[in-house]
Amino acid sequence: MSVKRIKGVIFDMDGTVVDVPYDWKRIKQELQTQGEPILSHIQSLREPERSKKWAILERFEEEATAQATLKEGMEKFLAFLKKKRIKTALVTNNSRKNLEFLLNKFRLSFDLLLSREAGLWKPSGAPFLFVLKNLGIRNTECCVIGDSHFDVKAAESAGIKRIFVLTQKMERQFSTGIEIVSTVKELEDKISNIL
Ligand SMILES: [Mg+2]
């Protein structure tokens, strides 16, 4: 594959653009997801169980979102991408309400926003394919920045080969070819090399 310069960057929201204190282990326990991804688990339930579990998830998300902080250097990095005319998308399995709360709070903007209401959820590649189509770019011209296995899986399914994982937990195991970075500054340095 020839190495193309990138024209677009897809960001995950929680844990990537913002730090949010989620205790996913506890949330999964409370929702009794039995190893299934949370959203597809809830969606597969019958009423009234489904609505009950949506409400539990939304309560956890709202509490966490209220405590979110912007990742250090993120504002500068987004301004840098804008200046370079790189398209940006924010793709989250979180709700539109929480997404808008965070964008307003930190005064951020992206060219394309995709929240779970679209029905395209990570770890499926569908949300990223939607973004590529709508931004008019190829998977070889795009990179994904996330913090979890869901982001990596979704990128791989969409055929996006440039994947950056922003995390300080260096013990995490990801497949080869994934770039692990611990700060936004480090990310900016790496991305500026492929623009
Ligand atoms: Mg995340």
Side-chain angles (χ1 to χ4, degrees):
M1 186 188 88
S2 65
V3 178
K4 290 205 175 70
R5 292 187 174 271
I6 60 161
K7 292 181 180 169
V9 178
I10 301 177
F11 289 85
D12 164 55
M13 184 172 78
D14 296 319
T16 302
V17 171
V18 290
D19 278 317
V20 204
Y22 277 106
D23 184 348
W24 289 116
K25 206 176 150 197
R26 194 183 145 209
I27 297 170
K28 285 174 191 165
Q29 261 170 14
E30 195 147 330
L31 292 170
Q32 298 173 322
T33 55
Q34 291 148 9
E36 264 182 279
I38 293 174
L39 298 184
S40 31
H41 167 75
I42 298 178
Q43 203 55 30
S44 72
L45 299 170
R46 288 168 187 269
E47 293 293 4
E49 195 69 1
R50 190 197 298 170
S51 297
K52 219 171 95 188
K53 288 201 180 178
W54 271 122
I56 295 171
L57 176 65
E58 281 166 6
R59 177 170 52 79
F60 276 115
E61 287 174 334
E62 202 173 321
E63 276 172 23
T65 301
Q67 297 175 63
T69 54
L70 187 61
K71 283 257 191 202
E72 196 188 335
M74 189 51 74
E75 210 174 352
K76 182 174 159 278
F77 179 46
L78 289 171
F80 165 77
L81 293 176
K82 194 168 260 181
K83 200 175 137 216
K84 295 281 181 183
R85 296 171 194 271
I86 303 297
K87 299 243 200 263
T88 55
L90 185 63
V91 177
T92 180
N93 280 359
N94 204 329
S95 66
R96 187 75 182 196
K97 184 181 147 211
N98 289 329
L99 177 152
E100 283 183 354
F101 172 85
L102 292 170
L103 293 188
N104 287 334
K105 179 170 180 179
F106 299 117
R107 298 171 180 278
L108 304 175
S109 71
F110 293 82
D111 295 302
L112 185 62
L113 305 171
L114 202 62
S115 55
R116 67 163 165 256
E117 289 80 358
L120 310 172
W121 304 330
K122 296 178 266 184
S124 146
F128 292 171
L129 292 172
F130 177 91
V131 168
L132 293 173
K133 193 171 171 214
N134 278 272
L135 291 182
I137 56 177
R138 295 169 201 267
N139 53 13
T140 49
E141 300 169 331
C142 183
C143 72
V144 164
I145 302 170
D147 74 311
S148 76
H149 286 285
F150 267 28
D151 303 310
V152 172
K153 273 191 194 164
E156 286 173 344
S157 306
I160 299 169
K161 300 234 162 43
R162 290 191 183 103
I163 306 169
F164 297 87
V165 172
L166 182 55
T167 179
Q168 260 138 17
K169 297 176 201 150
M170 294 315 252
E171 76 276 13
R172 281 194 175 187
Q173 291 296 307
F174 289 99
S175 38
T176 48
I178 312 292
E179 296 242 35
I180 313 272
V181 290
S182 56
T183 63
V184 178
K185 172 78 177 71
E186 202 182 324
L187 187 62
E188 187 173 330
D189 289 344
K190 291 203 183 237
I191 299 232
S192 61
N193 284 327
I194 54 172
L195 296 185

